[in-house]
Amino acid sequence: MVISEKQDEICETNQDQLIQKLVFPEGITLESGKIIAPLEIAYQTYGQLSEFKDNAILICHALTGDQYVAGIHPVTKKPGWWSKMVGSGLPIDTDKYFVICTNVLGSCMGTTGPRSIREDISQPRCWGAEFPAITIKDMVNTQKILIDYWGIERLFAVIGGSMGGMQALQWAVSYPDQVYSVMPIATSSFHSAQNIAFNEVGRQAIFSDPDWRDGEYWRYGVTPYRGLAVARMMAHITYLSEDALNRKFGRKLQESLKGSSLPIFGDMFQVESYLHYQGSNFVRRFDANSYVTITRAMDWFDLSQTHDGDLVKAFAPVQSRFCVISLSSDWLFPTSRSRVIVQALNRVGAKVSFVEITTDKGHDAFLLEEPNLDLTIQGFLVGIEEQRRLENYAS
Amino acid sequence: MRLDQRCIVEMIKPQSKILDIGCGDGSLIDYLCRDHQCDARGIELDMAYVTQCVGKGLPVIQGNADFDLQHYPTNGFDYVVLSRTLQAVNHPKEVLQQMLRIGRHAIVSFPNFGHWTLRAQLLFKGRMPMTTVWGKYWYETPNIHPCTMTDFVHLCEVEGHRIERWMAIDEQGERAPWRRYVRLANFFGEQALFLLTR
């Protein structure tokens, strides 16, 4: 692949943020056969790549995440989404590992997506709703382009939660000899009817916003922010457990309402304003077409799909060591779905560890303070490092 | 490491592939991986132990001997170990069958219910026995299928499992080589250890 002159430059964006980006003019051929060219990949790295390029860990972000896994996010100025996990002296120790996180294909934080300018036509314009349907495998193949560019032959680990976990599993299946270990967290090998149903409600909320304009909202300088906010509010509920919501809000009323009569409109309960806050925060940073594109990719995900529905066949080529982690109160990707993965991996004789972290915080718990999760991730990495040393010693 | 685990290690050839069912805190697989050059993995029911094991870098899954063995491939392991767990599973006969399907050898250790102190307690007190190994009241114990060494030998005969080696061991002391006869061992041995082959 020919890489453009712009390679490895740090691009200035219209938001004046510094985004690390690489541009690959030849682009990528999607699973659907369509080509996206040129392809921009936005990424963030932490730590140093070792001399033998054997200490790289790829972290895959979830649906609405981004590449700012650690440190301070340049837009929100808040800590990265996994800054408790990734950093110097933390479970994923950047003193030891070269941590890579890329913004996924189809997203809106720098990697080519619906908000990017389409250059393969005579008059360049935004991809918008014309952005082709993508798959989790396409996201993985995009990451692979970057990994190959850096000359990393084998990733020490691929780690991801939720949609990131799907990518981690896809890596193990698509590139079995290039991934030493895989850690899928709070995820599934397929998107269930219930998962798809939730996503569809979100998409319909976006489509029903008058500002959606068939996905061409960018032409008119508007955004379907109400629809997108509703989609986010609904999705956010699925990320939390009933216990977590009850503990945080219960039936607490808004301060201003105490002692007054029952309102129909406006916020009545504190949980409502919390959701409104989540929704409005989200629309400021996320693109509606990206949301639709990526939720579709998740819906389409089923590792067994190209193997007659047999997950065992899909896992037949894997060589990686696995650490599957589920969260006890996750009802979006419950532990039973992790067990399906573990059982299929056992059937092919893969080396697999499996832990269910006891928590009442729901699906989002992998982003929060969970000492047992830290212990598991750190322990697994230390363990496979030792095993690799023993293997190298033996050979 | 517990005494029965030390005896198990003696039965295992270095560089073997081992599955330890009910691996507890993982001390056996830890030893086998690090000092015996083995590829050892574990299954454990108790999540606290599993978290502890994976946190130590050991390949362990949370699972149940009664249900999860069916997901392992035939001939996937050289040895399948079940130490002090047989008496706590729902279907001991089926678990043994699965062990000898997925492994060439099965190593089973269990507290011997035929030990004279237990017999004596039942005979003289008329109550369910309690010793260091059987240290819980009958209503608290996870053990649902206690058996004696003679019972186990009988099960192996019925099922056609070959007993390659066996020994009776004491909780505190060393293995007692003078116990050459199963009937005597069944009377004096606190714990039993069997190496089975298909």
Side-chain angles (χ1 to χ4, degrees), chain B residues 66-134:
Chain B
D66 280 308
F67 308 113
D68 288 317
L69 297 184
Q70 54 172 311
H71 301 297
Y72 286 86
T74 303
N75 292 325
F77 296 89
D78 298 315
Y79 301 89
V80 181
V81 178
L82 186 72
S83 67
R84 292 201 192 175
T85 305
L86 183 73
Q87 74 283 356
V89 303
N90 273 309
H91 305 286
K93 192 175 87 177
E94 286 75 12
V95 167
L96 268 185
Q97 284 168 353
Q98 287 288 355
M99 287 173 72
L100 282 162
R101 176 186 67 79
I102 61 184
R104 286 193 296 122
H105 305 282
I107 298 177
V108 185
S109 81
F110 55 88
N112 176 29
F113 208 74
H115 190 255
W116 69 269
T117 55
L118 282 83
R119 297 189 198 196
Q121 286 187 43
L122 196 55
L123 182 66
F124 295 114
K125 290 188 186 165
R127 294 188 62 178
M128 285 304 281
M130 272 175 73
T131 62
T132 32
V133 183
W134 302 91

Side-chain angles (χ1 to χ4, degrees), chain B residues 2-4 84 132-133 169-174 189-191:
Chain B
R2 294 194 318 249
L3 179 71
D4 64 320
R84 292 201 192 175
T132 32
V133 183
I169 43 182
D170 291 337
E171 179 70 6
Q172 304 299 332
E174 287 300 308
E190 283 189 341
Q191 293 178 71

Side-chain angles (χ1 to χ4, degrees), chain B residues 87-88 127-131 133-144 146:
Chain B
Q87 74 283 356
R127 294 188 62 178
M128 285 304 281
M130 272 175 73
T131 62
V133 183
W134 302 91
K136 285 190 167 139
Y137 284 111
W138 63 273
Y139 50 84
E140 284 173 337
T141 174
N143 302 321
I144 49 174

Side-chain angles (χ1 to χ4, degrees), chain B:
Chain B
M1 223 169 16
R2 294 194 318 249
L3 179 71
D4 64 320
Q5 291 178 327
R6 287 215 299 275
C7 296
I8 289 170
V9 170
E10 282 175 27
M11 289 182 168
I12 290 173
K13 292 194 185 101
Q15 287 156 3
S16 306
K17 206 170 165 185
I18 300 134
L19 179 68
D20 184 7
I21 305 165
C23 64
D25 64 0
S27 48
L28 179 66
I29 51 173
D30 196 359
Y31 180 82
L32 289 170
C33 285
R34 291 188 167 121
D35 300 309
H36 224 53
Q37 298 88 46
C38 289
D39 168 4
R41 307 173 204 179
I43 303 179
E44 172 56 44
L45 191 60
D46 185 340
M47 192 52 76
Y49 273 141
V50 179
T51 314
Q52 192 185 332
C53 286
V54 179
K56 282 196 290 188
L58 299 170
V60 172
I61 70 162
Q62 196 275 333
N64 185 319
D66 280 308
F67 308 113
D68 288 317
L69 297 184
Q70 54 172 311
H71 301 297
Y72 286 86
T74 303
N75 292 325
F77 296 89
D78 298 315
Y79 301 89
V80 181
V81 178
L82 186 72
S83 67
R84 292 201 192 175
T85 305
L86 183 73
Q87 74 283 356
V89 303
N90 273 309
H91 305 286
K93 192 175 87 177
E94 286 75 12
V95 167
L96 268 185
Q97 284 168 353
Q98 287 288 355
M99 287 173 72
L100 282 162
R101 176 186 67 79
I102 61 184
R104 286 193 296 122
H105 305 282
I107 298 177
V108 185
S109 81
F110 55 88
N112 176 29
F113 208 74
H115 190 255
W116 69 269
T117 55
L118 282 83
R119 297 189 198 196
Q121 286 187 43
L122 196 55
L123 182 66
F124 295 114
K125 290 188 186 165
R127 294 188 62 178
M128 285 304 281
M130 272 175 73
T131 62
T132 32
V133 183
W134 302 91
K136 285 190 167 139
Y137 284 111
W138 63 273
Y139 50 84
E140 284 173 337
T141 174
N143 302 321
I144 49 174
H145 286 120
C147 72
T148 69
M149 289 183 76
T150 314
D151 286 328
F152 189 77
V153 171
H154 171 251
L155 176 64
C156 291
E157 276 169 13
V158 171
E159 287 289 299
H161 305 321
R162 202 160 64 81
I163 298 172
E164 217 170 285
R165 283 173 71 185
W166 66 268
M167 60 179 80
I169 43 182
D170 291 337
E171 179 70 6
Q172 304 299 332
E174 287 300 308
R175 166 175 23 140
W178 52 268
R179 287 170 193 156
R180 298 226 171 103
Y181 304 95
V182 175
R183 288 185 63 176
L184 281 176
N186 191 29
F187 198 76
F188 293 115
E190 283 189 341
Q191 293 178 71
L193 183 56
F194 286 83
L195 173 66
L196 308 179
T197 316
R198 257 174 241 160

Side-chain angles (χ1 to χ4, degrees), chain A residues 229-240:
Chain A
V230 171
R232 176 61 173 181
M233 284 161 69
M234 208 275 311
H236 199 82
I237 301 167
T238 68
Y239 303 152
L240 305 172

Side-chain angles (χ1 to χ4, degrees), chain A residues 17-68:
Chain A
Q17 6 153 332
L18 294 171
I19 297 184
Q20 283 182 288
K21 258 189 203 186
L22 277 170
V23 182
F24 299 87
E26 284 193 354
I28 184 173
T29 305
L30 303 175
E31 268 201 282
S32 63
K34 294 205 169 112
I35 296 170
I36 294 177
L39 172 70
E40 285 188 321
I41 307 175
Y43 63 91
Q44 197 70 31
T45 63
Y46 309 85
Q48 294 291 320
L49 187 59
S50 65
E51 186 190 348
F52 300 108
K53 302 188 177 185
D54 59 356
N55 69 333
I57 293 182
L58 177 70
I59 296 182
C60 307
H61 68 71
L63 165 63
T64 60
D66 54 41
Q67 64 272 40
Y68 302 106

Side-chain angles (χ1 to χ4, degrees), chain A residues 9-20:
Chain A
E9 76 182 61
I10 292 174
C11 304
E12 290 273 321
T13 70
N14 50 5
Q15 289 172 311
D16 291 323
Q17 6 153 332
L18 294 171
I19 297 184
Q20 283 182 288

